[in-house]
Amino acid sequence: MPHEPDPPPAKRFKPGSPFFRLDKKPGMLLPRAGHAAAGVEAQRRHLPIYQSRTQVISQLRQLHSAVFIGETGSGKTTQIPQYLYEAGIGRQGIIAITQPRRVAAISLAGRVAEEKKVQLGKLVGYTVRFEDVTSPETKLKFMTDGMLLREAIGDPLLLRYTVVILDEAHERTVHTDVLFGVVKAAQRRRLEQNKIPLKVVVMSATMDVDLFSQYFNKSPVLYLEGRQHPIQIYYTKQPQSDYLQAALVSIFQIHQEAPSSHDILVFLTGQEEIEALARTCRDISKHLPDTSGSMTVVPLYASLPPAQQMRVFLPAPKGSRKVILSTNIAETSITISGIKYVIDTGMVKAKRFNPDSGLEVLAVQRVSKAQAWQRAGRAGREDAGSCYRLYTEDEFENLANMTVPEIQRCNLASVVLQLLALGVPDVLNFDFVSKPSPESMRTAVEQLCILGAVDRKDDHVSLTPLGKKMACFPLEPRFSKTLLISPDFSCTEEILTIISLLSVDSVLYNPPARRDEVISVRKKFISSEGDHITLLNIYRAFKKVSGNKDWCRENFVNSRNMGLVGEVRAQLRDICIKMNLKLESSVCDLANVRRCLAHGLFMSAAELQPDGSYVALDTHQPVSIHPSSVLFQARPVCVLFNELLHTSRCYMRDLCLIQTDWLHEAAPEYFRRKLRAIKS
DNA sequence: CTCTCCCT
């Protein structure tokens, strides 16, 4: 290398402030409770929240809406629902507690059922997609936020519920954000109609809850202290130009100095980076003197097969240090015990949405302060820990306070369709906590118009009969549309399979280290008609061996995701049957299947240009075939794509070969307008 | 010449 290497950043660490939040708002300040004893009841009494039980109950009795700030370990999520129930608040109906993630809903319900000494599914239950463990006796119901939203379509006033607790509100998922508006409207309308009132409780782990409080008519904010152990924060003295190099140096500095039982968790941005750093760490640790002890490097990201993901929970061999290299999956979704050190690169890969181009951009960007605190917190779950931030304190101060809510970063077609199905009178002016831009709302309405899901007269938007049917499917509008027109092409069974495959994470597992093997084993499934048909072939082969796990391993198929495909397919098929859709199969005529796809997905099409490049027909922007596509080497004249993703270039992912004239027969008016737009 | 993460 021509340049002198950067001096190791870890040498320049200086101690920062320990992890104490001094900006506590007035409210209920609780002393730290002693250590939890055995016995479920005793453990409940030892939670920090227990000592303010009476206050919490009396507040909740009086208030229509309340906002809680609860630190990690405060016990808010398991205790507040029980306090409400035990105090007889909202006994006429059900207390719903929403979670952004399925596993959280399931495990919390299990925990509370244990505490109440009842069988799960009786008094305490949960509802997530594909699983409803509730009964008529259920009064405390943990559910995913998406599930409550689905239920709201049939019951916009949420009349089954007397209390809705929106937990993890700081994460600002689209579902939670839409629910804010739904529960607020339900609360108001129930009051107007003299129905049983709806209590709303918002729970957040971060301090900046003014927005929530303002939104719910300035409802009071109550503070609950947690049981987070102190975390020493370190910053670098100088900004780092290469966060990977900085991470590497920090890992080995800790490795040289700390006892081998102290595990390290490193936050990185993606699979490729993680696998590369894993390789480097293993190489270096092999060449260290024996005195420094060995190192067990474990990669962690979502597309890893389940068996490999489980490795993060296994203790390292005696005398070896566990180093986990993870994406933001370890920020919230997966909790690993024994982490003493967190190394935060300060970077994350995240999606942004450009409403003008309709383009989603996946880019490496800086985390928010809230995210940085979340990452640091992963070091203090059982004991005091340390967090090494690979950026300066100034850089930290310049980070955004909160991550931009997802609703301002995604395509809103589904959201708008859902709101219309809920009977929201004026969608364009829906009362969001954080408004998405008017352009992205307009883009969504326009997309739904083109699909025939909505009618627009001046500023009034309404659902068409087709749109009403589309909203019944838990799918993106373009997919429900494709499914609904599939009987015209006598291929509903094939479309069900393809859409299920496209709406879960990829069923293909591509370990970079075994690339040649993957290519040779996948050959037998590949179709010159594109990725959709290739996926269909894989699904059919999977069915033929009845989902055999060994077959999956040999063929680099992710069996968990493939299992999910089966569940999604069964659910969609049930909805089709309820709608009296004719379920026919077009086993051999796959051209017919592709023609059906063209009729539903015509908005995502691209055409080959004379110079060999591609242009998206909707936005006219230059696009390229993603190298993972089976059509990467081919030069198809006209294709559909499942997704546009802007990374190093603007890539089309999952392509399907089609004929250009199918597009014109599918949406003549739309393409006539597009042509006029090109000419002018 | 390559894919953050959830969810109905």
Side-chain angles (χ1 to χ4, degrees), chain A residues 34 46 65 72 181 234 247 263 328 344 358 396 400 452 470 482 581 585 613 618 633:
Chain A
H46 275 99
S65 315
T72 325
Y234 298 92
D263 296 341
N328 40 357
D344 176 16
F396 173 77
M470 283 166 63
T482 312
L581 243 56
S585 182
S613 70
D618 183 44
Q633 307 279 9

Side-chain angles (χ1 to χ4, degrees), chain A residues 223-241:
Chain A
Y223 179 84
L224 300 166
E225 186 175 323
R227 203 185 269 151
Q228 178 79 16
H229 300 275
I231 293 165
Q232 188 74 36
I233 303 287
Y234 298 92
Y235 296 94
T236 59
K237 275 191 178 166
Q238 303 293 326
Q240 300 298 307
S241 56

Side-chain angles (χ1 to χ4, degrees), chain A residues 151-159 182-183 185-187 189-190 198 421-424:
Chain A
E151 280 190 12
I153 292 181
D155 175 19
L157 293 188
L158 300 169
L159 287 168
V182 171
V183 295
Q187 193 177 40
R189 284 174 56 201
R190 277 162 67 158
L198 177 67
L422 278 162
V424 168

Side-chain angles (χ1 to χ4, degrees), chain A residues 294-338:
Chain A
S294 70
M295 184 184 272
T296 307
V297 184
V298 191
L300 177 63
Y301 43 89
S303 63
L304 218 52
Q308 291 202 52
Q309 266 188 14
M310 294 307 283
R311 290 177 51 205
V312 301
F313 299 112
L314 299 175
K318 215 168 170 62
S320 183
R321 179 192 318 284
K322 186 158 70 172
V323 177
I324 298 161
L325 307 181
S326 175
T327 59
N328 40 357
I329 193 170
E331 241 173 64
T332 49
S333 305
I334 292 182
T335 300
I336 309 150
S337 60

